[in-house]
Amino acid sequence: MKKLILLFSAGLLSLTSCSSDDNGGSPSTSLNVKPTKIVSTFSGSTQISTSTYTYNGNKIVEELIVPSTDVSKIKYTYTGDNITKIEEFSGPTFDLYNTITYTYENNKIKTEVEQGTAAFPYGKENYVHNADGTVSSTHINIDQSTGVETSNFE
């Protein structure tokens, strides 16, 4: 469920839209439409999840998720226009269970580090923006207790 929440949040952040007028003109510069609530049902299940979003201007700062079995909250932190940290909380007291931090170089994502609260390897993704416009990435596991980094291929 928590992976589904993270995947949904990442997908929401990647959505963009544009429109054109009926005369075939150029795309609109901004529709400024932001969802404030999304209700989801899951195929083959009676479970319903409601996500309520809070914004500061055009930036999403919090997502409250209320499924029938758990309550979760996701907080977003920005530096300028870039999301630099996502904190995921769960349960009735909103216990922190996962933190994702991002670094950027020239406004392009450089690293993504995901660290859970349990003592298990956590992940680091390094991104390289290639001259042809593609992006390559390398995943590294990091032992949370020792800090030792190992690639997925070892």
Side-chain angles (χ1 to χ4, degrees), residues 12-52:
L12 177 68
L13 292 173
S14 67
L15 292 176
T16 59
S17 66
C18 63
S19 68
S20 60
D21 60 20
D22 291 336
N23 298 329
S26 64
S28 170
T29 55
S30 174
L31 294 176
N32 205 19
V33 176
K34 300 178 287 282
T36 56
K37 184 183 274 190
I38 295 176
V39 178
S40 304
T41 57
F42 301 94
S43 178
S45 172
T46 59
Q47 183 176 357
I48 296 174
S49 174
T50 302
S51 298
T52 305

PDB file of all heavy atoms in Angstrom, residues 12-52:
ATOM      1  N   LEU A  12       1.638  11.805  -9.818  1.00  0.00           N
ATOM      2  CA  LEU A  12       0.934  13.087  -9.734  1.00  0.00           C
ATOM      3  C   LEU A  12       1.892  14.230 -10.000  1.00  0.00           C
ATOM      4  O   LEU A  12       1.558  15.184 -10.697  1.00  0.00           O
ATOM      5  CB  LEU A  12       0.282  13.251  -8.353  1.00  0.00           C
ATOM      6  CG  LEU A  12      -0.433  14.563  -8.101  1.00  0.00           C
ATOM      7  CD1 LEU A  12      -1.679  14.652  -8.994  1.00  0.00           C
ATOM      8  CD2 LEU A  12      -0.825  14.678  -6.644  1.00  0.00           C
ATOM      9  N   LEU A  13       3.115  14.127  -9.462  1.00  0.00           N
ATOM     10  CA  LEU A  13       4.093  15.181  -9.665  1.00  0.00           C
ATOM     11  C   LEU A  13       4.545  15.289 -11.111  1.00  0.00           C
ATOM     12  O   LEU A  13       4.966  16.350 -11.562  1.00  0.00           O
ATOM     13  CB  LEU A  13       5.300  14.953  -8.761  1.00  0.00           C
ATOM     14  CG  LEU A  13       5.040  15.131  -7.278  1.00  0.00           C
ATOM     15  CD1 LEU A  13       6.259  14.715  -6.482  1.00  0.00           C
ATOM     16  CD2 LEU A  13       4.655  16.560  -6.963  1.00  0.00           C
ATOM     17  N   SER A  14       4.465  14.210 -11.847  1.00  0.00           N
ATOM     18  CA  SER A  14       4.940  14.234 -13.226  1.00  0.00           C
ATOM     19  C   SER A  14       3.875  14.665 -14.233  1.00  0.00           C
ATOM     20  O   SER A  14       4.165  14.822 -15.413  1.00  0.00           O
ATOM     21  CB  SER A  14       5.484  12.860 -13.614  1.00  0.00           C
ATOM     22  OG  SER A  14       4.436  11.933 -13.650  1.00  0.00           O
ATOM     23  N   LEU A  15       2.647  14.849 -13.765  1.00  0.00           N
ATOM     24  CA  LEU A  15       1.589  15.247 -14.687  1.00  0.00           C
ATOM     25  C   LEU A  15       1.763  16.687 -15.156  1.00  0.00           C
ATOM     26  O   LEU A  15       2.057  17.571 -14.370  1.00  0.00           O
ATOM     27  CB  LEU A  15       0.216  15.126 -14.013  1.00  0.00           C
ATOM     28  CG  LEU A  15      -0.261  13.716 -13.698  1.00  0.00           C
ATOM     29  CD1 LEU A  15      -1.579  13.780 -12.951  1.00  0.00           C
ATOM     30  CD2 LEU A  15      -0.433  12.928 -14.970  1.00  0.00           C
ATOM     31  N   THR A  16       1.599  16.919 -16.429  1.00  0.00           N
ATOM     32  CA  THR A  16       1.563  18.265 -16.979  1.00  0.00           C
ATOM     33  C   THR A  16       0.423  18.325 -17.972  1.00  0.00           C
ATOM     34  O   THR A  16      -0.029  17.315 -18.483  1.00  0.00           O
ATOM     35  CB  THR A  16       2.881  18.629 -17.708  1.00  0.00           C
ATOM     36  OG1 THR A  16       3.074  17.683 -18.752  1.00  0.00           O
ATOM     37  CG2 THR A  16       4.064  18.630 -16.766  1.00  0.00           C
ATOM     38  N   SER A  17      -0.049  19.528 -18.223  1.00  0.00           N
ATOM     39  CA  SER A  17      -1.129  19.640 -19.200  1.00  0.00           C
ATOM     40  C   SER A  17      -1.027  20.952 -19.949  1.00  0.00           C
ATOM     41  O   SER A  17      -0.434  21.911 -19.485  1.00  0.00           O
ATOM     42  CB  SER A  17      -2.488  19.548 -18.507  1.00  0.00           C
ATOM     43  OG  SER A  17      -2.671  20.664 -17.672  1.00  0.00           O
ATOM     44  N   CYS A  18      -1.612  20.963 -21.133  1.00  0.00           N
ATOM     45  CA  CYS A  18      -1.740  22.186 -21.899  1.00  0.00           C
ATOM     46  C   CYS A  18      -2.997  22.052 -22.739  1.00  0.00           C
ATOM     47  O   CYS A  18      -3.519  20.973 -22.942  1.00  0.00           O
ATOM     48  CB  CYS A  18      -0.512  22.438 -22.777  1.00  0.00           C
ATOM     49  SG  CYS A  18      -0.239  21.179 -24.028  1.00  0.00           S
ATOM     50  N   SER A  19      -3.491  23.164 -23.169  1.00  0.00           N
ATOM     51  CA  SER A  19      -4.674  23.125 -24.006  1.00  0.00           C
ATOM     52  C   SER A  19      -4.559  24.205 -25.059  1.00  0.00           C
ATOM     53  O   SER A  19      -3.738  25.099 -24.963  1.00  0.00           O
ATOM     54  CB  SER A  19      -5.932  23.343 -23.156  1.00  0.00           C
ATOM     55  OG  SER A  19      -5.956  24.657 -22.663  1.00  0.00           O
ATOM     56  N   SER A  20      -5.419  24.123 -26.056  1.00  0.00           N
ATOM     57  CA  SER A  20      -5.454  25.157 -27.078  1.00  0.00           C
ATOM     58  C   SER A  20      -6.891  25.618 -27.243  1.00  0.00           C
ATOM     59  O   SER A  20      -7.828  24.929 -26.861  1.00  0.00           O
ATOM     60  CB  SER A  20      -4.895  24.606 -28.396  1.00  0.00           C
ATOM     61  OG  SER A  20      -5.666  23.515 -28.824  1.00  0.00           O
ATOM     62  N   ASP A  21      -7.042  26.792 -27.813  1.00  0.00           N
ATOM     63  CA  ASP A  21      -8.401  27.293 -28.010  1.00  0.00           C
ATOM     64  C   ASP A  21      -9.045  26.614 -29.208  1.00  0.00           C
ATOM     65  O   ASP A  21      -8.418  25.850 -29.920  1.00  0.00           O
ATOM     66  CB  ASP A  21      -8.400  28.819 -28.157  1.00  0.00           C
ATOM     67  CG  ASP A  21      -7.576  29.302 -29.350  1.00  0.00           C
ATOM     68  OD1 ASP A  21      -7.323  28.495 -30.262  1.00  0.00           O
ATOM     69  OD2 ASP A  21      -7.197  30.483 -29.364  1.00  0.00           O
ATOM     70  N   ASP A  22     -10.323  26.882 -29.426  1.00  0.00           N
ATOM     71  CA  ASP A  22     -11.056  26.237 -30.516  1.00  0.00           C
ATOM     72  C   ASP A  22     -10.575  26.673 -31.886  1.00  0.00           C
ATOM     73  O   ASP A  22     -10.873  26.027 -32.879  1.00  0.00           O
ATOM     74  CB  ASP A  22     -12.554  26.542 -30.382  1.00  0.00           C
ATOM     75  CG  ASP A  22     -13.140  25.844 -29.170  1.00  0.00           C
ATOM     76  OD1 ASP A  22     -12.561  24.825 -28.740  1.00  0.00           O
ATOM     77  OD2 ASP A  22     -14.170  26.318 -28.664  1.00  0.00           O
ATOM     78  N   ASN A  23      -9.824  27.753 -31.967  1.00  0.00           N
ATOM     79  CA  ASN A  23      -9.369  28.272 -33.248  1.00  0.00           C
ATOM     80  C   ASN A  23      -8.024  27.683 -33.661  1.00  0.00           C
ATOM     81  O   ASN A  23      -7.419  28.144 -34.604  1.00  0.00           O
ATOM     82  CB  ASN A  23      -9.250  29.803 -33.187  1.00  0.00           C
ATOM     83  CG  ASN A  23     -10.594  30.447 -32.918  1.00  0.00           C
ATOM     84  OD1 ASN A  23     -11.633  29.907 -33.321  1.00  0.00           O
ATOM     85  ND2 ASN A  23     -10.593  31.579 -32.232  1.00  0.00           N
ATOM     86  N   GLY A  24      -7.553  26.685 -32.929  1.00  0.00           N
ATOM     87  CA  GLY A  24      -6.271  26.074 -33.303  1.00  0.00           C
ATOM     88  C   GLY A  24      -5.096  26.935 -32.904  1.00  0.00           C
ATOM     89  O   GLY A  24      -4.019  26.790 -33.446  1.00  0.00           O
ATOM     90  N   GLY A  25      -5.267  27.841 -31.971  1.00  0.00           N
ATOM     91  CA  GLY A  25      -4.208  28.743 -31.539  1.00  0.00           C
ATOM     92  C   GLY A  25      -3.147  28.020 -30.741  1.00  0.00           C
ATOM     93  O   GLY A  25      -3.123  26.809 -30.615  1.00  0.00           O
ATOM     94  N   SER A  26      -2.252  28.783 -30.150  1.00  0.00           N
ATOM     95  CA  SER A  26      -1.149  28.205 -29.391  1.00  0.00           C
ATOM     96  C   SER A  26      -1.641  27.692 -28.043  1.00  0.00           C
ATOM     97  O   SER A  26      -2.684  28.101 -27.552  1.00  0.00           O
ATOM     98  CB  SER A  26      -0.067  29.269 -29.194  1.00  0.00           C
ATOM     99  OG  SER A  26      -0.588  30.335 -28.413  1.00  0.00           O
ATOM    100  N   PRO A  27      -0.880  26.779 -27.415  1.00  0.00           N
ATOM    101  CA  PRO A  27      -1.287  26.230 -26.122  1.00  0.00           C
ATOM    102  C   PRO A  27      -1.412  27.322 -25.064  1.00  0.00           C
ATOM    103  O   PRO A  27      -0.706  28.321 -25.091  1.00  0.00           O
ATOM    104  CB  PRO A  27      -0.152  25.265 -25.767  1.00  0.00           C
ATOM    105  CG  PRO A  27       0.503  24.945 -27.052  1.00  0.00           C
ATOM    106  CD  PRO A  27       0.333  26.172 -27.911  1.00  0.00           C
ATOM    107  N   SER A  28      -2.325  27.088 -24.146  1.00  0.00           N
ATOM    108  CA  SER A  28      -2.510  27.990 -23.023  1.00  0.00           C
ATOM    109  C   SER A  28      -1.264  27.971 -22.161  1.00  0.00           C
ATOM    110  O   SER A  28      -0.621  26.943 -21.990  1.00  0.00           O
ATOM    111  CB  SER A  28      -3.724  27.534 -22.212  1.00  0.00           C
ATOM    112  OG  SER A  28      -3.821  28.231 -21.007  1.00  0.00           O
ATOM    113  N   THR A  29      -0.896  29.109 -21.580  1.00  0.00           N
ATOM    114  CA  THR A  29       0.305  29.163 -20.759  1.00  0.00           C
ATOM    115  C   THR A  29       0.114  28.453 -19.430  1.00  0.00           C
ATOM    116  O   THR A  29       1.025  27.866 -18.905  1.00  0.00           O
ATOM    117  CB  THR A  29       0.732  30.618 -20.512  1.00  0.00           C
ATOM    118  OG1 THR A  29      -0.373  31.321 -19.940  1.00  0.00           O
ATOM    119  CG2 THR A  29       1.158  31.280 -21.796  1.00  0.00           C
ATOM    120  N   SER A  30      -1.113  28.510 -18.860  1.00  0.00           N
ATOM    121  CA  SER A  30      -1.345  27.819 -17.607  1.00  0.00           C
ATOM    122  C   SER A  30      -2.827  27.723 -17.329  1.00  0.00           C
ATOM    123  O   SER A  30      -3.540  28.715 -17.370  1.00  0.00           O
ATOM    124  CB  SER A  30      -0.659  28.566 -16.466  1.00  0.00           C
ATOM    125  OG  SER A  30      -0.987  27.971 -15.238  1.00  0.00           O
ATOM    126  N   LEU A  31      -3.279  26.527 -17.032  1.00  0.00           N
ATOM    127  CA  LEU A  31      -4.662  26.357 -16.642  1.00  0.00           C
ATOM    128  C   LEU A  31      -4.825  26.553 -15.143  1.00  0.00           C
ATOM    129  O   LEU A  31      -5.899  26.825 -14.662  1.00  0.00           O
ATOM    130  CB  LEU A  31      -5.162  24.962 -17.038  1.00  0.00           C
ATOM    131  CG  LEU A  31      -5.249  24.699 -18.522  1.00  0.00           C
ATOM    132  CD1 LEU A  31      -5.660  23.245 -18.771  1.00  0.00           C
ATOM    133  CD2 LEU A  31      -6.243  25.625 -19.164  1.00  0.00           C
ATOM    134  N   ASN A  32      -3.720  26.414 -14.396  1.00  0.00           N
ATOM    135  CA  ASN A  32      -3.704  26.591 -12.952  1.00  0.00           C
ATOM    136  C   ASN A  32      -4.749  25.739 -12.249  1.00  0.00           C
ATOM    137  O   ASN A  32      -5.386  26.184 -11.310  1.00  0.00           O
ATOM    138  CB  ASN A  32      -3.861  28.072 -12.590  1.00  0.00           C
ATOM    139  CG  ASN A  32      -3.270  28.360 -11.230  1.00  0.00           C
ATOM    140  OD1 ASN A  32      -2.464  27.596 -10.723  1.00  0.00           O
ATOM    141  ND2 ASN A  32      -3.670  29.471 -10.645  1.00  0.00           N
ATOM    142  N   VAL A  33      -4.951  24.525 -12.731  1.00  0.00           N
ATOM    143  CA  VAL A  33      -5.888  23.600 -12.113  1.00  0.00           C
ATOM    144  C   VAL A  33      -5.092  22.626 -11.252  1.00  0.00           C
ATOM    145  O   VAL A  33      -4.168  21.975 -11.727  1.00  0.00           O
ATOM    146  CB  VAL A  33      -6.694  22.821 -13.179  1.00  0.00           C
ATOM    147  CG1 VAL A  33      -7.587  21.787 -12.532  1.00  0.00           C
ATOM    148  CG2 VAL A  33      -7.493  23.782 -14.031  1.00  0.00           C
ATOM    149  N   LYS A  34      -5.452  22.573  -9.970  1.00  0.00           N
ATOM    150  CA  LYS A  34      -4.777  21.678  -9.044  1.00  0.00           C
ATOM    151  C   LYS A  34      -5.834  20.831  -8.340  1.00  0.00           C
ATOM    152  O   LYS A  34      -6.805  21.365  -7.830  1.00  0.00           O
ATOM    153  CB  LYS A  34      -3.991  22.476  -8.013  1.00  0.00           C
ATOM    154  CG  LYS A  34      -2.917  23.371  -8.601  1.00  0.00           C
ATOM    155  CD  LYS A  34      -2.202  24.165  -7.526  1.00  0.00           C
ATOM    156  CE  LYS A  34      -2.992  25.269  -6.938  1.00  0.00           C
ATOM    157  NZ  LYS A  34      -3.121  26.484  -7.658  1.00  0.00           N
ATOM    158  N   PRO A  35      -5.639  19.521  -8.302  1.00  0.00           N
ATOM    159  CA  PRO A  35      -6.625  18.708  -7.577  1.00  0.00           C
ATOM    160  C   PRO A  35      -6.534  18.979  -6.079  1.00  0.00           C
ATOM    161  O   PRO A  35      -5.440  19.148  -5.540  1.00  0.00           O
ATOM    162  CB  PRO A  35      -6.211  17.275  -7.894  1.00  0.00           C
ATOM    163  CG  PRO A  35      -4.757  17.361  -8.221  1.00  0.00           C
ATOM    164  CD  PRO A  35      -4.563  18.721  -8.856  1.00  0.00           C
ATOM    165  N   THR A  36      -7.664  19.053  -5.422  1.00  0.00           N
ATOM    166  CA  THR A  36      -7.673  19.203  -3.968  1.00  0.00           C
ATOM    167  C   THR A  36      -8.091  17.911  -3.289  1.00  0.00           C
ATOM    168  O   THR A  36      -7.781  17.711  -2.120  1.00  0.00           O
ATOM    169  CB  THR A  36      -8.615  20.337  -3.533  1.00  0.00           C
ATOM    170  OG1 THR A  36      -9.919  20.087  -4.053  1.00  0.00           O
ATOM    171  CG2 THR A  36      -8.111  21.685  -4.032  1.00  0.00           C
ATOM    172  N   LYS A  37      -8.787  17.051  -4.023  1.00  0.00           N
ATOM    173  CA  LYS A  37      -9.193  15.763  -3.464  1.00  0.00           C
ATOM    174  C   LYS A  37      -9.327  14.755  -4.596  1.00  0.00           C
ATOM    175  O   LYS A  37      -9.902  15.057  -5.637  1.00  0.00           O
ATOM    176  CB  LYS A  37     -10.520  15.893  -2.739  1.00  0.00           C
ATOM    177  CG  LYS A  37     -10.968  14.612  -2.050  1.00  0.00           C
ATOM    178  CD  LYS A  37     -12.331  14.754  -1.400  1.00  0.00           C
ATOM    179  CE  LYS A  37     -12.184  15.327  -0.023  1.00  0.00           C
ATOM    180  NZ  LYS A  37     -13.432  15.280   0.743  1.00  0.00           N
ATOM    181  N   ILE A  38      -8.782  13.555  -4.354  1.00  0.00           N
ATOM    182  CA  ILE A  38      -8.919  12.460  -5.300  1.00  0.00           C
ATOM    183  C   ILE A  38      -9.404  11.246  -4.518  1.00  0.00           C
ATOM    184  O   ILE A  38      -8.809  10.875  -3.510  1.00  0.00           O
ATOM    185  CB  ILE A  38      -7.586  12.138  -6.009  1.00  0.00           C
ATOM    186  CG1 ILE A  38      -7.144  13.323  -6.872  1.00  0.00           C
ATOM    187  CG2 ILE A  38      -7.714  10.870  -6.848  1.00  0.00           C
ATOM    188  CD1 ILE A  38      -5.795  13.136  -7.533  1.00  0.00           C
ATOM    189  N   VAL A  39     -10.485  10.644  -4.978  1.00  0.00           N
ATOM    190  CA  VAL A  39     -11.034   9.445  -4.351  1.00  0.00           C
ATOM    191  C   VAL A  39     -10.735   8.274  -5.283  1.00  0.00           C
ATOM    192  O   VAL A  39     -11.070   8.315  -6.461  1.00  0.00           O
ATOM    193  CB  VAL A  39     -12.549   9.575  -4.097  1.00  0.00           C
ATOM    194  CG1 VAL A  39     -13.104   8.292  -3.499  1.00  0.00           C
ATOM    195  CG2 VAL A  39     -12.836  10.772  -3.198  1.00  0.00           C
ATOM    196  N   SER A  40     -10.103   7.231  -4.732  1.00  0.00           N
ATOM    197  CA  SER A  40      -9.706   6.071  -5.535  1.00  0.00           C
ATOM    198  C   SER A  40     -10.361   4.813  -4.995  1.00  0.00           C
ATOM    199  O   SER A  40     -10.473   4.625  -3.793  1.00  0.00           O
ATOM    200  CB  SER A  40      -8.185   5.879  -5.474  1.00  0.00           C
ATOM    201  OG  SER A  40      -7.503   7.039  -5.881  1.00  0.00           O
ATOM    202  N   THR A  41     -10.782   3.969  -5.923  1.00  0.00           N
ATOM    203  CA  THR A  41     -11.231   2.623  -5.559  1.00  0.00           C
ATOM    204  C   THR A  41     -10.292   1.651  -6.247  1.00  0.00           C
ATOM    205  O   THR A  41      -9.714   1.964  -7.287  1.00  0.00           O
ATOM    206  CB  THR A  41     -12.682   2.363  -6.003  1.00  0.00           C
ATOM    207  OG1 THR A  41     -12.774   2.579  -7.411  1.00  0.00           O
ATOM    208  CG2 THR A  41     -13.658   3.275  -5.282  1.00  0.00           C
ATOM    209  N   PHE A  42     -10.136   0.485  -5.660  1.00  0.00           N
ATOM    210  CA  PHE A  42      -9.182  -0.475  -6.176  1.00  0.00           C
ATOM    211  C   PHE A  42      -9.911  -1.658  -6.792  1.00  0.00           C
ATOM    212  O   PHE A  42     -10.843  -2.190  -6.202  1.00  0.00           O
ATOM    213  CB  PHE A  42      -8.236  -0.924  -5.054  1.00  0.00           C
ATOM    214  CG  PHE A  42      -7.486   0.236  -4.453  1.00  0.00           C
ATOM    215  CD1 PHE A  42      -7.965   0.877  -3.319  1.00  0.00           C
ATOM    216  CD2 PHE A  42      -6.336   0.709  -5.051  1.00  0.00           C
ATOM    217  CE1 PHE A  42      -7.289   1.959  -2.772  1.00  0.00           C
ATOM    218  CE2 PHE A  42      -5.650   1.794  -4.517  1.00  0.00           C
ATOM    219  CZ  PHE A  42      -6.128   2.420  -3.377  1.00  0.00           C
ATOM    220  N   SER A  43      -9.471  -2.056  -7.967  1.00  0.00           N
ATOM    221  CA  SER A  43     -10.089  -3.142  -8.701  1.00  0.00           C
ATOM    222  C   SER A  43     -10.128  -4.414  -7.859  1.00  0.00           C
ATOM    223  O   SER A  43      -9.136  -4.794  -7.242  1.00  0.00           O
ATOM    224  CB  SER A  43      -9.304  -3.392  -9.993  1.00  0.00           C
ATOM    225  OG  SER A  43      -9.850  -4.458 -10.702  1.00  0.00           O
ATOM    226  N   GLY A  44     -11.295  -5.044  -7.822  1.00  0.00           N
ATOM    227  CA  GLY A  44     -11.445  -6.281  -7.078  1.00  0.00           C
ATOM    228  C   GLY A  44     -11.497  -6.094  -5.573  1.00  0.00           C
ATOM    229  O   GLY A  44     -11.357  -7.045  -4.825  1.00  0.00           O
ATOM    230  N   SER A  45     -11.670  -4.865  -5.123  1.00  0.00           N
ATOM    231  CA  SER A  45     -11.670  -4.582  -3.693  1.00  0.00           C
ATOM    232  C   SER A  45     -12.732  -3.540  -3.384  1.00  0.00           C
ATOM    233  O   SER A  45     -13.132  -2.757  -4.235  1.00  0.00           O
ATOM    234  CB  SER A  45     -10.293  -4.051  -3.274  1.00  0.00           C
ATOM    235  OG  SER A  45     -10.320  -3.593  -1.940  1.00  0.00           O
ATOM    236  N   THR A  46     -13.173  -3.521  -2.160  1.00  0.00           N
ATOM    237  CA  THR A  46     -14.125  -2.492  -1.736  1.00  0.00           C
ATOM    238  C   THR A  46     -13.403  -1.324  -1.065  1.00  0.00           C
ATOM    239  O   THR A  46     -14.036  -0.381  -0.608  1.00  0.00           O
ATOM    240  CB  THR A  46     -15.154  -3.079  -0.748  1.00  0.00           C
ATOM    241  OG1 THR A  46     -14.458  -3.603   0.386  1.00  0.00           O
ATOM    242  CG2 THR A  46     -15.982  -4.154  -1.422  1.00  0.00           C
ATOM    243  N   GLN A  47     -12.064  -1.383  -1.007  1.00  0.00           N
ATOM    244  CA  GLN A  47     -11.290  -0.340  -0.351  1.00  0.00           C
ATOM    245  C   GLN A  47     -11.370   0.975  -1.135  1.00  0.00           C
ATOM    246  O   GLN A  47     -11.236   1.000  -2.351  1.00  0.00           O
ATOM    247  CB  GLN A  47      -9.831  -0.759  -0.204  1.00  0.00           C
ATOM    248  CG  GLN A  47      -9.001   0.266   0.544  1.00  0.00           C
ATOM    249  CD  GLN A  47      -7.572  -0.213   0.770  1.00  0.00           C
ATOM    250  OE1 GLN A  47      -7.219  -1.330   0.414  1.00  0.00           O
ATOM    251  NE2 GLN A  47      -6.761   0.625   1.359  1.00  0.00           N
ATOM    252  N   ILE A  48     -11.588   2.038  -0.417  1.00  0.00           N
ATOM    253  CA  ILE A  48     -11.624   3.376  -0.998  1.00  0.00           C
ATOM    254  C   ILE A  48     -10.557   4.206  -0.308  1.00  0.00           C
ATOM    255  O   ILE A  48     -10.402   4.155   0.905  1.00  0.00           O
ATOM    256  CB  ILE A  48     -13.008   4.036  -0.811  1.00  0.00           C
ATOM    257  CG1 ILE A  48     -14.066   3.245  -1.571  1.00  0.00           C
ATOM    258  CG2 ILE A  48     -12.979   5.486  -1.258  1.00  0.00           C
ATOM    259  CD1 ILE A  48     -15.475   3.732  -1.339  1.00  0.00           C
ATOM    260  N   SER A  49      -9.799   4.973  -1.082  1.00  0.00           N
ATOM    261  CA  SER A  49      -8.758   5.844  -0.548  1.00  0.00           C
ATOM    262  C   SER A  49      -9.069   7.275  -0.980  1.00  0.00           C
ATOM    263  O   SER A  49      -9.363   7.529  -2.140  1.00  0.00           O
ATOM    264  CB  SER A  49      -7.397   5.416  -1.098  1.00  0.00           C
ATOM    265  OG  SER A  49      -6.395   6.317  -0.697  1.00  0.00           O
ATOM    266  N   THR A  50      -9.010   8.203  -0.029  1.00  0.00           N
ATOM    267  CA  THR A  50      -9.235   9.611  -0.336  1.00  0.00           C
ATOM    268  C   THR A  50      -7.953  10.384  -0.056  1.00  0.00           C
ATOM    269  O   THR A  50      -7.443  10.357   1.067  1.00  0.00           O
ATOM    270  CB  THR A  50     -10.387  10.189   0.508  1.00  0.00           C
ATOM    271  OG1 THR A  50     -11.562   9.426   0.259  1.00  0.00           O
ATOM    272  CG2 THR A  50     -10.636  11.641   0.165  1.00  0.00           C
ATOM    273  N   SER A  51      -7.438  11.065  -1.059  1.00  0.00           N
ATOM    274  CA  SER A  51      -6.250  11.905  -0.917  1.00  0.00           C
ATOM    275  C   SER A  51      -6.682  13.358  -0.982  1.00  0.00           C
ATOM    276  O   SER A  51      -7.340  13.772  -1.930  1.00  0.00           O
ATOM    277  CB  SER A  51      -5.244  11.621  -2.029  1.00  0.00           C
ATOM    278  OG  SER A  51      -4.805  10.285  -1.966  1.00  0.00           O
ATOM    279  N   THR A  52      -6.290  14.126   0.039  1.00  0.00           N
ATOM    280  CA  THR A  52      -6.602  15.552   0.091  1.00  0.00           C
ATOM    281  C   THR A  52      -5.276  16.307   0.030  1.00  0.00           C
ATOM    282  O   THR A  52      -4.350  16.013   0.789  1.00  0.00           O
ATOM    283  CB  THR A  52      -7.364  15.894   1.388  1.00  0.00           C
ATOM    284  OG1 THR A  52      -8.517  15.055   1.474  1.00  0.00           O
ATOM    285  CG2 THR A  52      -7.795  17.349   1.392  1.00  0.00           C
TER     286      THR A  52
END
